[in-house]
Amino acid sequence: SWQTLARNLEGGEMGTRTVAMVIGLCMSAAAGAAGPMGPGIPVKRVVIPKEVVEGVRSIQVNDFTGRGGMRVRGQTSAGFPKKQYAFETWDSEGNDKNVRIFGFPSESDWIIHAPYSDKTLMRNKIVYDTSRELGYPASRTRFCELYFNSNGGDVQASDYRGVYIFMEKIKRNDDRVNIKKLEACDNGTGAVTGGYIFKKDKGATNYPMNTTREGHTFSFVEPDVPTPTQRAWLDRHLDNFENILHSSRFADPRRGYASYLDVQSFIDTHIWVEVYKNIDGYRLSSYFYKDRGRKIVASPVWDYNLSLGNANYLGGEFASGWYYTQVGGGGYPWYSRLNADPEYVIQYWDRWFELRKGMLDTNAMMTRINGYNGEIRRAAVRNFNKWRNLLGNYTWPNAGGWQSRTSHS
């Protein structure tokens, strides 16, 4: 039974303190457990036990029990045997239902992220957590262990899928990306200026915009169905910004690029990409938002599983060296010109040394990594017992040295 499995996980072998969670998904037999899913396969039951408190978990009271919908998500990762999922919580009628899970603010849209080629199981969590601590709206995260049952029966040990990270989907609301909601009627001079969330990514086809000066392609995230006026406004706003960026007055603090950009956020994003050496950085998985009457912010961070040495191309395997030198043109939006402003460069290096003496200090980062490793130490053993082909074997795009990495620790 579900309760028996939970007891076994929380038995003596787990130790006295863990934040590893178990999510039980009992799906209809027709839904299946493999392959990309449609817009949302109904989930019959979701059970999330409460977290451990002082080494004791009450498995009779659940953090959440209810219905929902799921689909396989990701592009490259959708081809891995360990799937990751977009997950919605539903009411009895199949409508979105806002709920609190793991103490996160109430919402209905979630991500169940599956670290697979990332054999540390923690790269995205490290990056999202540090960005959030810096004040940006990065997704809240929680380690968990997933059971996925697709036959409609009791959850069995064979339904175990391994260590996952439960996280928030990037979305506009007061507790995630806190910007104005742009309604279909918001087409007037002031209202049309925000709020928007847009991104630069592969497969970005939701109302794409192409900038005329640097030739970047962005797509809408929110609103997901913008009006023609809203589409035209943001498209024109980005073009106007690029024209100013490449003008003779681009460095003017009042009339130049700084009148369009939240400069600090662009500096912090650049530092994040470089410190973590994310080889998807700049060119892919880059999110931006713009609130009504405000500047463009480079945030939230997203998709850093190919960072911290987990890539064998674009210099991702080397701990030294700048990543931005590996990309350019369409893969390096706006930064080449920003770096032509001496004041921007000074601000950049001031911030770099500030962070490297604080949050991004090497000892501070190692303490964080060791702490996360302690949280999932036992769970990682179960994960790699499930996915026995990972440790000591190549999984795209692991950097050299994978042959000798035969244990999680």
Side-chain angles (χ1 to χ4, degrees):
S1 70
W2 167 253
Q3 285 78 9
T4 300
L5 289 169
R7 286 193 186 95
N8 289 341
L9 279 173
E10 293 307 321
E13 65 153 83
M14 285 293 289
T16 59
R17 183 68 175 92
T18 179
V19 296
M21 301 292 171
V22 184
I23 301 176
L25 302 168
C26 299
M27 299 187 65
S28 63
M37 297 182 181
I41 300 298
V43 179
K44 291 168 59 180
R45 189 173 182 233
V46 183
V47 182
I48 302 177
K50 278 191 174 294
E51 83 177 272
V52 173
V53 178
E54 294 180 355
V56 177
R57 169 178 290 176
S58 171
I59 60 173
Q60 303 303 317
V61 179
N62 297 318
D63 193 41
F64 172 73
T65 302
R67 301 177 67 248
M70 293 182 66
R71 63 175 175 83
V72 172
R73 67 172 303 276
Q75 298 186 49
T76 303
S77 62
F80 292 145
K82 184 182 179 183
K83 306 298 183 185
Q84 60 174 320
Y85 304 98
F87 169 53
E88 294 181 350
T89 47
W90 293 351
D91 63 18
S92 59
E93 302 299 320
N95 301 311
D96 287 357
K97 178 183 179 181
N98 290 344
V99 300
R100 289 177 62 87
I101 298 179
F102 294 152
F104 295 168
S106 184
E107 243 295 342
S108 62
D109 290 308
W110 311 92
I111 301 296
I112 307 174
H113 167 63
Y116 188 72
S117 66
D118 171 16
K119 298 167 189 177
T120 71
L121 308 175
M122 67 178 72
R123 282 180 168 88
N124 274 328
K125 182 169 175 59
I126 290 170
V127 175
Y128 296 1
D129 287 0
T130 49
S131 180
R132 187 164 192 84
E133 290 169 20
L134 204 60
Y136 293 103
S139 298
R140 296 172 177 87
T141 63
R142 203 61 179 274
F143 287 121
C144 66
E145 293 182 80
L146 176 68
Y147 281 83
F148 191 116
N149 177 275
S150 60
N151 60 24
D154 290 339
V155 179
Q156 304 292 329
S158 58
D159 295 323
Y160 183 70
R161 293 293 183 269
V163 172
Y164 280 67
I165 300 175
F166 190 88
M167 63 177 63
E168 297 171 319
K169 177 184 176 181
I170 293 176
K171 187 175 180 179
R172 183 217 61 79
N173 71 24
D174 292 349
D175 296 301
R176 295 191 183 180
V177 182
N178 186 8
I179 57 177
K180 295 285 187 184
K181 182 177 182 180
L182 198 60
E183 305 281 4
C185 61
D186 290 328
N187 298 297
T189 303
V192 76
T193 64
Y196 297 98
I197 303 175
F198 57 101
K199 67 178 180 177
K200 181 176 177 62
D201 203 358
K202 60 182 176 182
T205 58
N206 188 47
Y207 299 99
M209 302 169 287
N210 298 292
T211 62
T212 55
R213 188 65 183 253
E214 290 198 8
H216 303 299
T217 299
F218 301 95
S219 68
F220 278 82
V221 177
E222 291 204 27
D224 56 348
V225 184
T227 68
T229 300
Q230 292 162 359
R231 291 177 60 189
W233 187 90
L234 184 57
D235 197 0
R236 185 170 59 252
H237 187 72
L238 293 175
D239 279 342
N240 290 342
F241 156 63
E242 286 193 354
N243 288 334
I244 291 294
L245 182 65
H246 289 273
S247 73
S248 59
R249 71 168 194 261
F250 84 106
D252 187 291
R254 291 185 296 106
R255 299 188 303 150
Y257 67 80
S259 65
Y260 283 83
L261 302 185
D262 180 288
V263 177
Q264 184 74 72
S265 72
F266 279 80
I267 288 173
D268 288 343
T269 291
H270 197 284
I271 290 173
W272 247 237
V273 172
E274 294 297 335
V275 165
Y276 294 116
K277 207 164 191 184
N278 177 26
I279 58 89
D280 277 350
Y282 312 127
R283 57 196 187 90
L284 301 171
S285 301
S286 296
Y287 281 76
F288 308 86
Y289 67 86
K290 186 197 176 301
D291 203 357
R292 189 166 298 168
R294 296 186 178 275
K295 301 176 183 181
I296 299 169
V297 179
S299 182
V301 294
W302 191 250
D303 197 9
Y304 272 62
N305 59 310
L306 300 186
S307 66
L308 291 165
N310 191 33
N312 59 3
Y313 61 101
L314 293 178
E317 64 268 46
F318 302 115
S320 61
W322 294 92
Y323 165 68
Y324 77 87
T325 62
Q326 304 292 317
V327 295
Y332 194 50
W334 308 330
Y335 281 109
S336 293
R337 183 61 170 164
L338 291 174
N339 282 314
D341 176 17
E343 290 300 320
Y344 175 89
V345 174
I346 292 171
Q347 188 176 347
Y348 183 95
W349 284 110
D350 285 346
R351 184 63 161 171
W352 173 277
F353 289 115
E354 174 191 353
L355 292 171
R356 285 289 284 145
K357 292 177 182 178
M359 176 188 294
L360 299 181
D361 171 75
T362 301
N363 290 332
M365 291 303 300
M366 291 307 300
T367 297
R368 181 183 298 273
I369 291 168
N370 290 336
Y372 291 160
N373 185 58
E375 293 179 13
I376 62 172
R377 183 170 54 91
R378 299 284 189 175
V381 173
R382 290 189 288 273
N383 180 85
F384 292 111
N385 282 338
K386 168 66 180 179
W387 304 105
R388 294 179 180 273
N389 63 319
L390 281 176
L391 294 179
N393 291 295
Y394 175 78
T395 303
W396 184 90
N398 290 163
W402 50 263
Q403 302 94 328
S404 62
R405 298 182 183 122
T406 56
S407 72
H408 180 260
S409 58

